[in-house]
Amino acid sequence: MSASPLISRLIEALRCLPGVGPKSAQRMAYQLLERDREGARRLAAALEESVERVGHCSECRTLTEDEVCKVCSSNNRERSLMCVVETPADVEAVEGSTGFRGLYFVLMGHLSPLDGIGPQDIGLDLLEKRLKAGEVKEVILATNPTVEGEATAHYIAEMVRALGISVTRLAHGIPLGGELEYIDADTLAHAFTGRKAL
Amino acid sequence: MNPSAQRIELHPAYILHSKPYRDTSLLLEAFTRDHGRIGLVARGVRGNSGRRKMPLMAFRAYLMSWSGRGELATLSKWEPHGPPGKLSGSSLMSAYYINELMIRLTHRHDAHPVLFEYYREVLDCLSRHTLSEACLRYFELNLLDELGYAPDLGHEADSGEPVQAQASYCYLPEQGAMRAYGPCPGVRVGGKTLLELSERSLSDADSLKESKRLMRAVLQRYLGDRPLKTREIFRQSLNPSDRDQST
């Protein structure tokens, strides 16, 4: 690479972004330096400030710069419903597509026994404390339909049931607009077992 | 097995462990029928790309094609083999324990076709939910047997006589079962449990409990000092039945 040391450092730093290889990192660096210094300044300032100030919501663990995030502190949410998700991006997905008006709890991951990631690492002690406070009447488990997501859901379901709170899990099924012929066998088998009366 | 360049087509395999790798790939630890435990990289299977249509999950039988040289081969094709597993709840937790044992005790590229069959059996047994603790004990024994570490549970270590069902024994992992007369520095276990375990016919709660303590001590010898992660996690478990039965 013939770029100066500082530019090389910038290119290298940009590569920490997902999907950014050496070539795109180089394009980004030159774009910022050649054509958009103002944008670069804003980016640098926003990055700096976010890294300094963004932490976890003390109630639902999602990322926020406030002590309690906007959803948790809102007065317009149904406080008896709680949806448990793996990541902050999952909150956005549920929020953007379902019209769900309850609260969230963000695990920031899932149980992964072989990697040594256990209940406390995904904040289940905090979740238990919140459920014991008695506000929540139904817990909706929206962990991913992976083996780890299932294990996590099982764990949480046991805990929630023991507290006498009702617990539901998102349905597994065939994607809308899909064709049976092209759907993977396991998803189809799941959908078949979970069929509904009409 | 020599890990030199090779191409394998549609070979029976299970995934023992998977880890995200780069943006869209997975690193897999797979257990294959004729090539033992191998490391695989599955490219472009995460995220919203076309290759993700067929999920890659632990505890599910696949036919896999891979090629490559050295420690990490490239997974090129896979399809589900047989009906999907029905592991859920606490049996899923036990299955993780099985996978951890497999990773800790087998070596990469050591072929164990018989163990592959035992592995399939234990997953099947766990998914049927009946006497799952017994399934775990038999698998532990079968695993040790296949690796050449099988303990002799049917005979007294010092005299070589057959174990008596009514007698009480002291089991020392390095030596075996000996009649217990005084204090026991190993695991105290009844003759009935030893016999039932060696015949794979554990019958009641007491034998299950004793055989669990016994197998734990036996396995400890081969696992060394590093604790099993799955066991640590089950210890934190909030549900007492999981805590007691998953491993």
Side-chain angles (χ1 to χ4, degrees), chain B residues 1-46:
Chain B
M1 176 107 356
N2 177 14
S4 61
Q6 52 181 350
R7 172 175 291 277
I8 309 292
E9 293 291 342
L10 296 174
H11 187 85
Y14 284 94
I15 295 168
L16 297 177
H17 188 41
S18 67
K19 254 194 231 183
Y21 173 61
R22 300 231 172 120
D23 293 334
T24 59
S25 303
L26 281 176
L27 282 181
L28 307 174
E29 199 63 40
F31 182 58
T32 67
R33 194 190 60 201
D34 298 344
H35 304 268
R37 182 159 71 80
I38 57 170
L40 290 171
V41 53
R43 294 189 202 283
V45 292
R46 289 164 52 227

Side-chain angles (χ1 to χ4, degrees), chain B residues 24-88:
Chain B
T24 59
S25 303
L26 281 176
L27 282 181
L28 307 174
E29 199 63 40
F31 182 58
T32 67
R33 194 190 60 201
D34 298 344
H35 304 268
R37 182 159 71 80
I38 57 170
L40 290 171
V41 53
R43 294 189 202 283
V45 292
R46 289 164 52 227
N48 210 2
S49 67
R51 288 249 292 171
R52 113 167 238 287
K53 287 224 165 80
M54 192 71 75
L56 274 166
M57 297 197 289
F59 314 125
R60 210 248 175 271
Y62 291 100
L63 291 176
M64 293 184 176
S65 303
W66 70 91
S67 60
R69 174 191 296 278
E71 278 299 292
L72 204 59
T74 303
L75 181 69
S76 50
K77 205 162 72 177
W78 66 97
E79 53 188 68
H81 188 39
K86 291 196 183 64
L87 288 172
S88 61

Side-chain angles (χ1 to χ4, degrees), chain B residues 136-231:
Chain B
L136 294 177
R137 298 299 84 82
Y138 303 156
F139 178 78
E140 289 166 344
L141 266 184
N142 290 339
L143 173 64
L144 291 176
D145 200 3
E146 182 57 25
L147 298 174
Y149 304 142
D152 183 1
L153 301 174
H155 296 89
E156 296 176 2
D158 38 3
S159 66
E161 295 290 316
V163 160
Q164 304 295 314
Q166 303 310 319
S168 164
Y169 289 87
C170 176
Y171 190 91
L172 295 166
E174 288 82 24
Q175 291 152 44
M178 282 178 283
R179 289 279 185 128
Y181 296 111
C184 169
V187 182
R188 215 175 257 285
V189 55
K192 175 169 165 286
T193 301
L194 286 170
L195 290 172
E196 287 185 358
L197 190 56
S198 73
E199 287 157 12
R200 316 285 196 267
S201 62
L202 292 169
S203 60
D204 55 41
D206 283 344
S207 327
L208 282 173
K209 212 165 155 190
E210 278 195 348
S211 57
K212 178 175 182 166
R213 280 193 299 123
L214 175 68
M215 286 312 294
R216 196 171 273 212
V218 174
L219 283 165
Q220 195 59 47
R221 190 174 166 210
Y222 304 105
L223 287 168
D225 294 334
R226 199 152 52 92
L228 285 171
K229 287 176 185 156
T230 44
R231 209 177 265 163

